[in-house]
Amino acid sequence: ETGVTQTPRHLVMGMTNKKSLKCEQHLGHNAMYWYKQSAKKPLELMFVYNFKEQTENNSVPSRFSPECPNSSHLFLHLHTLQPEDSALYLCASSQGSSSGGTGETQYFGPGTRLLVL
Amino acid sequence: ILNVEQSPQSLHVQEGDSTNFTCSFPSSNFYALHWYRWETAKSPEALFVMTLNGDEKKKGRISATLNTKEGYSYLYIKGSQPEDSATYLCASGDSNYQLIWGAGTKLIIKP
């Protein structure tokens, strides 16, 4: 148990659906991340929030919309997805700081396995 | 653009044998190197974070070294056990929040 939970664990959706992924961390961290992992590819960073402010957006298509209402919760809203968006979506958190964060250990949730039909 | 490479892609090791694998990363703008272990159906779990050239870290039978000048890190596992079977990921980053991840080395321990 890493202290980071994600729901749902599995999701099947059609291309016209709207759904949301939820991540919650119980570690008192201030930085949260969304990653995408496609089969046999490295983890791809999608979004980073540090103290509720979005600090990274790696040219992610607008059909993915993140929301960070507070330091403990992170959402990824999905709409009109494509079959190539099928992947494992991982959430992570880290301590968070004003000086930059790649030296911080990230704690990962179990992921949401998404299938877009 | 950072590019992190890991080799080999997969590795079969006999139980009890020792093994090692490599992570290479661009040495410019280096800030930190991470190793994670990812078991099937579980979350990636942090092993080490290293920042200084020549750093060596150890956790039980697992250790790692870092060479920031030439841009590589080695992960060593001594006396492999079945529970070491996992995918080992490395990631490198600059001072911002963007870690660049390798594709991983999948380790399978044969009993």
Side-chain angles (χ1 to χ4, degrees), chain A residues 39-57:
Chain A
K40 300 195 177 182
K41 286 188 174 180
L43 288 176
E44 298 172 53
L45 180 67
M46 300 175 73
F47 302 104
V48 182
Y49 280 82
N50 186 31
F51 289 87
K52 298 189 294 177
E53 297 294 320
Q54 187 175 310
T55 58
E56 301 283 347
N57 175 344

Side-chain angles (χ1 to χ4, degrees), chain A residues 10-74:
Chain A
H10 300 272
L11 179 62
V12 180
M13 59 187 288
M15 290 190 284
T16 57
N17 291 158
K18 288 185 180 181
K19 296 284 184 185
S20 295
L21 309 185
K22 180 183 175 183
C23 176
E24 184 173 359
Q25 56 94 3
H26 308 276
L27 301 169
H29 288 165
N30 293 294
M32 296 187 78
Y33 310 74
W34 279 118
Y35 285 96
K36 176 184 178 183
Q37 210 245 341
S38 304
K40 300 195 177 182
K41 286 188 174 180
L43 288 176
E44 298 172 53
L45 180 67
M46 300 175 73
F47 302 104
V48 182
Y49 280 82
N50 186 31
F51 289 87
K52 298 189 294 177
E53 297 294 320
Q54 187 175 310
T55 58
E56 301 283 347
N57 175 344
N58 276 0
S59 304
V60 179
S62 59
R63 57 186 184 268
F64 295 91
S65 174
E67 180 190 358
C68 187
N70 55 61
S71 293
S72 299
H73 293 86
L74 185 65

